[in-house]
Amino acid sequence: MMSREARDAGISERATKRSKPEVSLASPMATTIEHKAYARIGLLGNPSDVYYGRTISFSLGNFWASVRLEPSRDLVIQPHPVHDLVSFSSIGQAVKRIQSEGYYGGVRLLMAICKVFYNYCSDHNIELKEENFTLSYDTNIPRQTGLSGSSAIVCAALNCLLDFYKVRHLIKVEIRPELILGAEKELGIVAGLQDRVAQVYGGLVYMDFSKEYLDKFGHGKYTPMDISLLPPLHLIYAENPSDSGKVHSTVRKRWLEGDEFIISSMKEVAEIALDGREALLAQNYTELTKLMNRNFDLRRLMFGDEALGSLNIKMIETARSVGAAAKFTGSGGAVVAFCPDGPEQVKLLEKACREAGFIVQPALVVPPLLANEDLKTLSS
């Protein structure tokens, strides 16, 4: 098995290359721009990011989405040959595809970020050149795994637009997650800022979404952390996540109505992220183990088993059966696990997951992605 140091060095080198736009000359006057954005893991604090809480997340190098922008005469949003499939051999094949993949691919995401980006620039007197382009995308982020596949496509597309129009220096890094979330809200996707922050910044990020700070600055307070503080972590997911929770949760409604249990539980989830930051800084992995488990237990109490889904719960229970700490990476569909007892416990985890029919692999952490030009836009 490859050592953690070798894996970290490998992903660091690959991510550094991927984080920079790939430019090729299509003609003397045209350049092609390509960006990648990575999946993310919510390590602690989720789902408190939509309840004025705190979170710790990191970019996951195992999976990514890429967007390619090529100058063209007309503005074209190019469908993906697999994810935007509209031609089928039969109605039965079409229905089977819809049941497994859903109705929507990535074209609507690209169109939405174009709209949100254009409106933001118009509202803030940022002039855009009169040139067109063709946008296309690809992704290997598994669907319905809670790894932020949709926002990765939007994030990569936003980076392409920033470079094509040469306005990266005019749009603050802290604002970019808001633009990505805004594009998804255009499509009725319900989400918070945590995932988008992790994908914009890369690396490991501690986030504070206190209402006072959000109201004052229009965004959360985002603090990058050294990725070397993380212990070896593992990603667990199902290849066909058919049961990811089909019962609509009432947590948001109860929170808005002032439900004391929900409000106090969300505050505790936010405190878990704060305590987790201290545990990571001290490399106190015994405390990290407790916090990860408590994070999931609180979520389960608030949302209930029907909303979480039996498959998701089984992934947690499989990891915990060998003594690993485990919690959702996001809203469900995948689990992040930590084996505090080391390599022998990892072998037990791999065996248990294999027998349960789950995929398990080391979580590769992407280093910070912001370039010097991006860092200059950060608030002091």
Side-chain angles (χ1 to χ4, degrees):
M1 180 180 292
M2 186 183 296
S3 69
R4 179 169 180 255
E5 290 78 10
R7 290 200 308 271
D8 288 347
I11 187 61
S12 177
E13 180 182 355
R14 292 194 298 274
T16 301
K17 291 178 180 177
R18 290 170 183 159
S19 66
K20 298 177 182 178
E22 299 175 15
V23 180
S24 62
L25 292 178
S27 73
M29 298 298 292
T31 59
T32 295
I33 300 166
E34 185 170 358
H35 277 281
K36 287 184 177 178
Y38 296 86
R40 72 88 195 87
I41 283 180
L43 182 62
L44 291 171
N46 56 308
S48 77
D49 57 319
V50 293
Y51 301 92
Y52 303 119
R54 307 179 189 93
T55 62
I56 298 175
S57 295
F58 64 86
S59 287
L60 178 70
N62 304 58
F63 303 108
W64 60 87
S66 63
V67 173
R68 186 179 181 88
L69 183 152
E70 299 179 84
S72 55
R73 185 186 64 182
D74 299 317
L75 197 153
V76 179
I77 308 295
Q78 196 169 84
H80 191 277
V82 174
H83 303 302
D84 296 289
L85 192 63
V86 292
S87 177
F88 306 93
S89 62
S90 68
I91 189 172
Q93 187 210 13
V95 171
K96 184 177 180 181
R97 168 57 185 253
I98 290 167
Q99 288 173 337
S100 64
E101 300 289 335
Y103 289 99
Y104 306 112
V107 165
R108 64 181 186 141
L109 298 168
L110 299 181
M111 294 177 71
I113 189 59
C114 284
K115 176 186 176 183
V116 168
F117 171 79
Y118 176 83
N119 287 343
Y120 179 86
C121 290
S122 296
D123 292 343
H124 292 82
N125 299 313
I126 298 174
E127 188 174 348
L128 302 178
K129 61 183 179 181
E130 293 289 336
E131 295 181 20
N132 288 325
F133 53 81
T134 294
L135 277 183
S136 58
Y137 78 98
D138 198 4
T139 181
N140 66 1
I141 301 175
R143 291 177 60 85
Q144 299 178 13
T145 51
L147 294 172
S148 298
S150 294
S151 58
I153 294 172
V154 180
C155 180
L158 175 60
N159 275 315
C160 287
L161 294 172
L162 292 173
D163 287 339
F164 178 73
Y165 288 106
K166 294 181 172 56
V167 296
R168 185 173 290 274
H169 63 295
L170 298 176
I171 300 181
K172 292 170 58 176
V173 167
E174 293 101 329
I175 297 299
R176 296 175 197 172
E178 300 273 356
L179 299 181
I180 296 167
L181 182 60
E184 293 176 280
K185 285 183 175 179
E186 285 277 322
L187 304 170
I189 296 173
V190 179
L193 283 166
Q194 172 188 207
D195 306 351
R196 291 92 201 142
V197 173
Q199 289 168 327
V200 167
Y201 280 69
L204 175 68
V205 187
Y206 170 75
M207 311 170 204
D208 188 333
F209 299 101
S210 71
K211 189 175 188 304
E212 296 76 17
Y213 198 94
L214 284 168
D215 289 345
K216 183 175 181 179
F217 296 102
H219 54 77
K221 186 176 182 180
Y222 311 133
T223 307
M225 300 177 66
D226 190 336
I227 62 173
S228 69
L229 295 171
L230 288 171
L233 298 168
H234 283 76
L235 174 70
I236 303 169
Y237 64 100
E239 192 166 11
N240 297 300
S242 57
D243 175 21
S244 57
K246 296 181 173 63
V247 177
H248 181 69
S249 169
T250 60
V251 168
R252 182 70 178 176
K253 180 174 181 290
R254 291 167 63 189
W255 184 78
L256 291 170
E257 291 174 349
D259 185 301
E260 291 185 8
F261 171 71
I262 297 298
I263 290 174
S264 63
S265 295
M266 284 298 177
K267 285 181 179 178
E268 185 177 348
V269 171
E271 287 298 310
I272 283 174
L274 182 62
D275 293 341
R277 181 170 185 259
E278 296 304 312
L280 285 172
L281 290 171
Q283 295 187 297
N284 184 347
Y285 300 135
T286 300
E287 181 66 12
L288 178 65
T289 300
K290 296 175 183 177
L291 292 170
M292 288 177 65
N293 283 331
R294 180 59 179 164
N295 200 147
F296 174 78
D297 292 343
L298 281 169
R299 186 184 195 113
R300 188 172 188 176
L301 287 171
M302 287 188 286
F303 286 79
D305 286 5
E306 286 188 294
L308 298 189
S310 60
L311 186 68
N312 289 328
I313 293 172
K314 185 180 178 182
M315 280 191 279
I316 295 286
E317 292 175 342
T318 298
R320 290 187 175 183
S321 71
V322 300
K327 64 175 293 296
F328 289 168
T329 60
S331 58
V335 163
V336 57
F338 170 48
C339 294
D341 295 335
E344 291 303 314
Q345 191 176 33
V346 170
K347 291 179 182 178
L348 294 175
L349 175 67
E350 292 171 341
K351 182 175 183 291
C353 287
R354 185 167 58 250
E355 291 175 350
F358 299 132
I359 298 169
V360 58
Q361 53 190 240
L364 304 180
V365 185
V366 177
L369 297 173
L370 299 179
N372 287 335
E373 188 175 11
D374 301 306
L375 295 173
K376 290 176 183 177
T377 75
L378 287 169
S379 301
S380 57

